[in-house]
Amino acid sequence: MLRREKDIFVANVGDSRAIKTTVSREGVKILRLSKNHSPGANRERERIEQAGGRILDDIHARVYFDRENFPSLALSRALGDDVYKSVGVISQPELHVDTVEDAKQFVVIASDGVWEFLKDEEVGEIVQKSSRGAWDVVNAAHEKWMKFNKQVADDITCVVYFFKSNGKK
């Protein structure tokens, strides 16, 4: 995320996500500033299949090489996974531009380990009611992972950026 005066720019590659939460007299509004790059999404799937990649949907859509069942990648856009370029996985980010309003606002940027079990609205609510922001989001996600599978939790990373109500940092 880059902030320039009242404009915020979010560039995303992969399965992390950014949301902006606005708290006002009218209530709480959540806006997605990025989206996950899943191989199952229509546009992403078309590019990968045209490049000779294969996508299998079990729990999550994954990219495979033409005749191989491993290794696989659960992303359609990634940084550093150069071996998958030959089957249509790209590193080009998608860009979203938004503005900071004169209201209580914050941006949450979190890895897929957070979004796997927590909805955008839940994350916004946790941060809004918390004095520890990102820490409480990470703990809530970890608790859900442990209920799902006590042996494994995906990466759980979270950053919260608060804006002052006049649009200044």
Side-chain angles (χ1 to χ4, degrees):
M1 181 180 86
L2 170 69
R3 174 147 184 236
R4 186 174 217 160
E5 298 176 13
K6 284 194 162 216
D7 293 324
I8 52 176
F9 304 86
V10 175
N12 184 49
V13 171
D15 55 4
S16 293
R17 186 182 317 151
I19 63 168
K20 180 179 83 170
T21 301
T22 304
V23 181
S24 68
R25 287 179 220 193
E26 292 80 37
V28 177
K29 184 173 81 173
I30 305 283
L31 174 68
R32 273 198 187 174
L33 298 175
S34 66
K35 65 179 182 180
N36 302 10
H37 292 119
S38 166
N42 288 340
R43 219 174 60 192
E44 304 291 306
R45 177 183 292 273
E46 287 172 14
R47 184 187 63 251
I48 290 165
E49 289 175 344
Q50 285 177 357
R54 189 167 48 99
I55 297 172
L56 298 179
D57 292 303
D58 46 16
I59 295 173
H60 297 287
R62 300 185 75 82
V63 178
Y64 293 85
F65 292 98
D66 185 31
R67 292 187 174 92
E68 312 264 338
N69 285 334
F70 62 90
S72 66
L73 186 66
L75 307 169
S76 57
R77 296 177 188 230
L79 296 175
D81 290 298
D82 289 348
V83 69
Y84 288 95
K85 284 183 179 179
S86 66
V87 290
V89 175
I90 61 175
S91 58
Q92 179 181 353
E94 287 189 314
L95 180 65
H96 184 92
V97 182
D98 200 59
T99 58
V100 178
E101 302 166 13
D102 287 331
K104 179 182 176 186
Q105 293 187 305
F106 55 87
V107 170
V108 178
I109 302 171
S111 64
D112 64 321
V114 168
W115 306 116
E116 184 73 24
F117 293 107
L118 297 177
K119 293 180 169 67
D120 297 357
E121 293 76 16
E122 290 176 278
V123 170
E125 185 176 312
I126 290 168
V127 174
Q128 179 191 353
K129 293 180 177 179
S130 165
S131 62
R132 302 182 310 163
W135 182 258
D136 287 339
V137 171
V138 167
N139 284 333
H142 187 262
E143 284 179 21
K144 297 257 184 157
W145 272 99
M146 291 301 103
K147 285 180 184 174
F148 175 73
N149 181 346
K150 293 191 183 304
Q151 305 296 315
V152 177
D154 200 354
D155 60 308
I156 304 172
T157 305
C158 181
V159 174
V160 179
Y161 184 95
F162 293 93
F163 301 101
K164 288 187 178 178
S165 62
N166 61 3
K168 295 181 181 175
K169 178 182 171 188

